[in-house]
Amino acid sequence: IRLGAGGDLERVPSALIGDPVPDQSLPALDGLDLPGFAPADFQGRVSVVNVFGSWCGPCLDEHPMVMELGGDERIRVVGLNHKDAPDNARRWLAQHGNPYAAIGVDRSGRASLEWGVYG
């Protein structure tokens, strides 16, 4: 929804816009040759953090746009895998493409709350 909001910050309000990234590290998705991520990984570069899950319909809808962003060398696209089974996440990425430079796993959903995920 945020990617398609056209810059209208009122469409999906967030009290976290303009705040630093949460002070937490997330482990990598097992079985992929990609790192997880930590706050220091966002220093000095433009990053887009995309929250996704294999069970999430809107995630599939927005995935072509995330794939396009992943092809832009100016942007580092990072995935936050939200409340997903690792096997399902790997299959979903194999089927639909993997635009991510890193994927942090949040099995419980607690870290996602710190990133402003709700709904």
Side-chain angles (χ1 to χ4, degrees):
I1 290 172
R2 287 299 315 141
L3 288 174
D8 181 358
L9 299 180
E10 298 302 316
R11 186 164 176 189
V12 180
S14 174
L16 302 176
I17 293 173
D19 287 353
V21 300
D23 188 23
Q24 58 193 200
S25 298
L26 292 176
L29 179 59
D30 290 335
L32 294 182
D33 191 22
L34 293 174
F37 60 82
D41 297 333
F42 297 98
Q43 299 286 326
R45 62 172 74 170
V46 175
S47 299
V48 171
V49 178
N50 183 64
V51 180
F52 76 100
S54 63
W55 49 267
C56 170
C59 297
L60 184 57
D61 290 343
E62 74 182 7
H63 198 67
M65 188 181 303
V66 178
M67 288 293 292
E68 189 175 328
L69 286 173
D72 188 327
E73 295 178 6
R74 301 170 296 171
I75 302 168
R76 181 174 181 251
V77 179
V78 176
L80 194 165
N81 186 231
H82 178 71
K83 292 181 144 183
D84 211 351
D87 287 343
N88 293 344
R90 284 191 301 273
R91 272 193 298 274
W92 192 86
L93 291 167
Q95 182 177 356
H96 302 291
N98 185 353
Y100 304 115
I103 298 175
V105 173
D106 180 18
R107 291 286 310 260
S108 71
R110 289 189 181 135
S112 298
L113 292 174
E114 296 294 319
W115 282 91
V117 174
Y118 62 92

